Amino acid sequence: MSTTGSMRPAQVSAARRRTVVDALRRGAVPESGLDLLATGLDRFEAALDAELDAVASGGSVFKAVRGEYGSGKTFFTRWLGERAKRRTFAVAEIQVSENETPLHKLETVYRRLTERLTTSSFPPSALRPVVDAWFYALEEDVLAAGATEDDLPGEVEKLLVARLAEVSRHAPSFATALRGYRAALADGDEATAAAVLAWLGGQPHVAASARRAVGVRGDLDHFGALGFLQGLLTVLRDSGHTGLFVVLDEVETLQRVRSDARDKALNALRQLIDEVHSGRFPGLYLVITGTPAFYDGQQGVQRLAPLAQRLATDFTTDPRFDNPRAVQIRLPGFTQESLVGLGVTIRDLYADAATSPERVRAVVDDAYVADLARAVGGALGGKVGVAPRLFLKKLVGDVLDRVDQFDEFDPRQHYKLTVASSELTDVERNLAATVVGGSASADDIDLEL
């Protein structure tokens, strides 16, 4: 997701720089500070910012992001999430998986959402600070309306019922749990308050005594999850957040689950899209990510015709003319030139905090960055599109760190690129296998069954 050239801010705090560099050294996508790396995304900015503004005004948006492995889907969604946080959105990133977060179980998806909920002020899980801020806002509104301290509990109860009236039509237990949480805090019963809040966040196996104390029963189910999401959006809005940005990442994993579970998951996705478009979730910006095979293949979206219709987007034209306002957007992936441009950006970001910035830039010059990019791409069968993660890991951990620490280290003399199988992902390992002997073995080829 980069082109040549850099748009980095002139001044970068040490903490933000360290967060980015440390993540790249581990071969991971940074959790924050992505604006320091995001070049080449300007083509999407106007359309996506307009959609965020629409959601902040009470609308809702569904977006599908497509791209091959290594094209920067996770980077893109975290970059967009940072833009959402600047608009005071809450953000949650959820990894879809068959065992941990099956998409056809929306109660589990909701639970992961509350576990991963974060704001500009609070890390995951920010559910309790958000709920506490909501009750504080209710109290402030009641006092501003002329209520006395003696009238406060009763007036807050009335306002709570009014604010959650629409939510209570679908999930009355959401308001019941909130009242129980507030009552437990007022009584100084922290254990019950924490248990009720966990139940409100979709956690199973909450103590029966805590549930009885506040008048709720059972665990959250598939249909109740949609009502609870609606309630969470109301709480977020009234506590000062303009919306909720949610990412369902790696949805293509649905292609590898049993056919019955896959069909249920695809139908759940269709249901979510319809609910978003119906206006049930004002303040929600929902994003999914997947590979082209997921969107176009018979083991993915095309398996459910109504879903395929909702996600249909024309990608037959030149990628330069892709419509960023469309329901599905395409990430073109890396070229050799854009990979080098990203490497130069990282080199400059690293050098700004190095012991000798001039030496880092001189020893790891643009030509060397280009050589390393070609070498990493070659180690992965010439597939530049899947090289960014490994390239940046090698650049930071193997080259820049050594240049910074050892005055005599020259990567052209003292470093030879090595790529161990253990440091590769499955996709990278399969591509690396094509380098030896010129072709992969039968065991290295993924088949759709």
Side-chain angles (χ1 to χ4, degrees):
M1 292 310 302
S2 174
T3 58
T4 54
S6 174
M7 298 175 63
R8 286 194 301 114
Q11 297 296 326
V12 180
S13 71
R16 295 186 74 214
R17 182 186 293 107
R18 184 169 56 251
T19 296
V20 171
V21 172
D22 286 351
L24 297 178
R25 185 183 288 116
R26 299 192 308 272
V29 175
E31 293 285 347
S32 60
L34 296 177
D35 57 309
L36 304 179
L37 313 180
T39 56
L41 297 180
D42 53 313
R43 59 179 299 193
F44 298 108
E45 287 182 357
L48 297 178
D49 285 349
E51 290 177 349
L52 288 171
D53 291 340
V55 172
S57 300
S60 54
V61 167
F62 173 84
K63 207 77 169 178
V65 177
R66 70 187 273 145
E68 297 287 0
Y69 178 88
S71 62
K73 296 187 295 294
T74 299
F75 179 95
F76 178 86
T77 54
R78 289 183 182 173
W79 167 80
L80 184 54
E82 285 194 344
R83 299 181 79 83
K85 277 187 180 180
R86 294 192 200 106
R87 289 168 166 78
T88 66
F89 277 65
V91 173
E93 178 185 320
I94 304 166
Q95 299 292 324
V96 176
S97 68
E98 180 180 7
N99 296 323
E100 296 296 324
T101 314
L103 189 55
H104 66 283
K105 294 185 178 180
L106 292 182
E107 65 274 26
T108 305
V109 174
Y110 172 80
R111 181 165 78 245
R112 296 288 179 254
L113 190 160
T114 61
E115 291 171 351
R116 296 292 298 161
L117 188 68
T118 181
T119 69
S120 57
S121 302
F122 295 98
S125 165
L127 180 61
R128 182 160 190 166
V130 165
V131 170
D132 290 344
W134 184 64
F135 278 116
Y136 179 79
L138 292 184
E139 292 174 356
E140 290 294 300
D141 289 348
V142 165
L143 291 173
T148 64
E149 290 290 342
D150 293 337
D151 297 333
L152 190 61
E155 293 301 316
V156 167
E157 172 72 16
K158 292 179 183 178
L159 188 57
L160 181 153
V161 171
R163 294 278 174 86
L164 295 177
E166 179 62 24
V167 176
S168 294
R169 290 178 53 231
H170 303 283
S173 55
F174 188 85
T176 302
L178 282 172
R179 285 195 293 269
Y181 170 73
R182 186 165 183 265
L185 286 181
D187 294 339
D189 188 352
E190 172 61 28
T192 296
V196 173
L197 193 66
W199 187 86
L200 195 69
Q203 296 294 333
H205 314 307
V206 172
S209 58
R211 287 186 274 118
R212 282 196 301 270
V214 300
V216 295
R217 295 181 299 175
D219 293 329
L220 186 64
D221 61 17
H222 177 92
F223 298 101
L226 295 177
F228 273 39
L229 175 58
Q230 194 175 2
L232 179 60
L233 288 166
T234 299
V235 169
L236 285 166
R237 181 194 64 218
D238 291 347
S239 60
H241 298 281
T242 52
L244 173 62
F245 178 85
V246 178
V247 178
L248 300 178
D249 202 10
E250 298 183 359
V251 179
E252 70 268 11
T253 57
L254 294 181
Q255 298 172 103
R256 299 194 289 271
V257 304
R258 282 188 345 224
S259 60
D260 58 337
R262 184 189 314 145
D263 291 342
K264 290 178 183 178
L266 292 172
N267 191 59
L269 183 56
R270 191 271 314 159
Q271 182 184 5
L272 273 175
I273 294 173
D274 287 349
E275 295 282 14
V276 169
H277 289 162
S278 73
R280 181 179 177 182
F281 301 123
L284 177 65
Y285 195 122
L286 178 62
V287 179
I288 67 170
T289 72
T291 59
F294 169 71
Y295 293 110
D296 302 336
Q298 292 304 312
Q299 301 304 317
V301 168
Q302 300 304 315
R303 190 179 177 93
L304 183 63
L307 179 60
Q309 293 164 7
R310 286 156 176 76
L311 296 179
T313 305
D314 180 16
F315 291 115
T316 61
T317 58
D318 189 316
R320 294 178 299 165
F321 307 120
D322 282 358
N323 179 13
R325 298 174 183 172
V327 66
Q328 189 182 155
I329 58 176
R330 169 171 55 181
L331 303 184
F334 281 87
T335 63
Q336 179 67 24
E337 180 185 22
S338 62
L339 190 62
V340 173
L342 179 58
V344 169
T345 298
I346 299 301
R347 188 271 319 277
D348 290 343
L349 179 68
Y350 188 103
D352 288 343
T355 305
S356 177
E358 297 80 7
R359 180 174 180 274
V360 169
R361 290 188 175 92
V363 175
V364 189
D365 57 14
D366 294 4
Y368 179 78
V369 172
D371 289 342
L372 182 63
R374 277 191 293 272
V376 174
L380 297 178
K383 301 292 186 180
V384 175
V386 301
R389 185 196 72 85
L390 186 61
F391 166 63
L392 296 177
K393 183 175 185 290
K394 295 293 185 180
L395 177 63
V396 173
D398 289 356
V399 177
L400 291 172
D401 278 346
R402 287 170 171 159
V403 171
D404 186 38
Q405 296 177 81
F406 306 106
D407 292 341
E408 297 179 356
F409 180 78
D410 183 342
R412 288 182 171 88
Q413 298 180 41
H414 306 124
Y415 176 70
K416 180 180 179 181
L417 176 68
T418 58
V419 178
S421 177
S422 59
E423 63 182 324
L424 300 178
T425 64
D426 290 341
V427 173
E428 292 167 344
R429 191 175 298 113
N430 285 344
L431 290 171
T434 67
V435 178
V436 180
S439 62
S441 69
D443 291 337
D444 292 324
I445 299 174
D446 290 325
L447 299 178
E448 289 188 1
L449 300 177

